[in-house]
Amino acid sequence: MTSRRTLLKGTLFGSAAALLPTAASASTGGAILRLPAPACPHPVGMLTAHLTDPSRTDPWVGGVRELMLTVLYPARSIDGFARAPQLTAAEAREFAGLAPHIHPGLPQPGVVDWGAVLTHGHVGAPPLPGRRPVLVYSPGGGDSRTLGTTLAEALASRGLVVVLVDHPGDASQVELPTGMRTTVLFGPPDPATFRTMVDTRIADLRLVLDRLGSLPLAQVMDSRRIGLYGHSAGGTAAVYAARDDRRVGAVANLEGYLDLYPSPAGCDQPLLLFRTDGFDGAARIESSWAGLRGRRALLPDANHGAFTDYGSLVPQLQTAGRVTAAARTALVGTGDPAVTLAEVRRRLGTFFARHLS
């Protein structure tokens, strides 16, 4: 299947300059949003990495499979190291046009200054000494890795290294060294596309596990303490990727279906099965989780996107009059965003602390 849009930009990655906000992104006139700061003691550093897998052909556009990663980690010092934007300037322009098609109810282009949203990760900050547990995150279908920033920063601030994985082809947009890739997904995928998407994500996650030793900051990653977590299709992929992989010590599935294969029975690691009370796929979720051993948790007054940065951003958009109450409810639920975020952080932080200590 071919991507509907593949833009070759020839941009450079890996440098601090590629992650810094530009004057253009700060002057577009759209609503400016803010991500909540981590509540834990350590400041957060951030780096990006590009991986290729010559052994695989990209299922969406052909050629060698490529991935982009963000590595978040507890920093020793952040003095003199700038905060990274959530999206590069080029990604922000793409996302502005794609967002209302991927998630109906989000604003049309020009309404939000997506390029001005800053993370709390400081580009290239020196890491806190010591070897730390590693978490690898897979986002939901149609979403980019950057929409998992708030939760990942909270986990990194607790003392873990967190690797956010983009899956080009189904991610809304990913700026690679070879150019911009945009999603092939507009609307729910058919069963064959969903199967291809999850199988590709499983292989992507296993590639990341194979390459942890060569990533930036590998010296502070403890390969004996690895966890996987993911949202929606990312949760599906995380559970199946962990099957029969003894490198993985714990898995958290944030509202992902587990009926793609007969049963993920080989996943005998500690498992967190976390869902919202407002998701319209709840019956299928519960059916696909039936019989699995794992800790179950329910997020009240919430909907599917509450596990992502949308949980904090969409209520701000509603307050600013850019998103309707109905759209907010459909995207993230009606709950107080601070309370919802605190519960997600607490559940994930406690779960991985217990099983990767």
Side-chain angles (χ1 to χ4, degrees):
M1 186 179 298
T2 302
S3 174
R4 299 193 182 188
R5 280 194 292 177
T6 302
L7 304 178
L8 298 180
K9 305 277 188 175
T11 53
L12 294 175
F13 267 81
S15 68
L19 284 169
L20 299 179
T22 65
S25 72
S27 62
T28 59
I32 295 179
L33 305 174
R34 290 177 172 81
L35 295 175
C40 294
H42 301 301
V44 177
M46 173 187 287
L47 292 170
T48 60
H50 172 239
L51 296 183
T52 61
D53 186 355
S55 69
R56 283 194 293 149
T57 299
D58 189 291
W60 312 113
V61 297
V64 171
R65 181 65 176 166
E66 297 180 81
L67 304 180
M68 282 304 298
L69 315 177
T70 297
V71 183
L72 298 161
Y73 52 92
R76 176 169 49 84
S77 171
I78 56 173
D79 292 342
F81 295 91
R83 287 167 61 185
Q86 187 178 33
L87 299 170
T88 68
E91 287 175 332
R93 287 191 295 270
E94 291 296 324
F95 181 70
L98 291 169
H101 300 287
I102 297 169
H103 295 292
L106 289 178
Q108 295 296 316
V111 175
V112 180
D113 189 356
W114 295 109
V117 182
L118 290 178
T119 72
H120 296 275
H122 296 259
V123 183
L128 198 66
R131 296 183 68 82
R132 305 184 176 281
V134 184
L135 301 180
V136 180
Y137 171 74
S138 179
D143 287 340
S144 70
R145 72 191 191 278
T146 60
L147 284 166
T149 295
T150 299
L151 177 56
E153 287 178 342
L155 294 167
S157 184
R158 290 178 68 116
L160 295 89
V161 177
V162 185
V163 181
L164 307 180
V165 183
D166 252 329
H167 303 283
D170 72 74
S172 52
Q173 76 294 310
V174 186
E175 192 174 5
L176 295 159
T178 50
M180 186 72 70
R181 287 279 301 278
T182 55
T183 186
V184 303
L185 299 178
F186 291 88
D190 59 61
T193 302
F194 184 70
R195 177 66 173 261
T196 298
M197 182 172 70
V198 173
D199 286 349
T200 302
R201 285 162 168 261
I202 291 169
D204 289 347
L205 291 175
R206 288 176 174 162
L207 174 68
V208 173
L209 295 180
D210 291 343
R211 302 279 186 86
L212 282 179
S214 63
L215 292 183
L217 279 302
Q219 72 273 18
V220 300
M221 299 182 189
D222 188 345
S223 61
R224 300 167 300 174
R225 294 184 290 169
I226 296 173
L228 298 182
Y229 73 108
H231 172 241
S232 194
T236 304
V239 172
Y240 288 116
R243 228 177 12 173
D244 302 318
D245 192 328
R246 298 303 168 189
R247 295 174 294 184
V248 180
V251 186
N253 175 8
L254 308 179
E255 209 155 57
Y257 300 124
L258 295 179
D259 54 7
L260 183 60
Y261 301 102
S263 171
C267 183
D268 56 4
Q269 299 96 333
L271 176 62
L272 174 64
L273 298 168
F274 200 179
R275 71 173 182 88
T276 66
D277 65 354
F279 183 41
D280 60 8
R284 181 181 169 190
I285 286 284
E286 282 298 304
S287 175
S288 72
W289 291 359
L292 290 178
R293 292 180 299 171
R295 185 176 184 83
R296 285 165 167 76
L298 184 69
L299 190 61
D301 303 318
N303 212 327
H304 199 52
F307 290 115
T308 74
D309 292 347
Y310 287 132
S312 299
L313 298 178
V314 170
Q316 293 177 55
L317 289 170
Q318 184 194 7
T319 299
R322 269 75 170 188
V323 161
T324 67
R328 178 218 171 126
T329 299
L331 287 165
V332 302
T334 60
D336 182 324
V339 173
T340 298
L341 176 60
E343 178 66 3
V344 174
R345 286 174 167 177
R346 183 186 71 82
R347 290 278 187 180
L348 269 290
T350 301
F351 174 75
F352 284 119
R354 178 181 299 123
H355 298 295
L356 299 180
S357 60

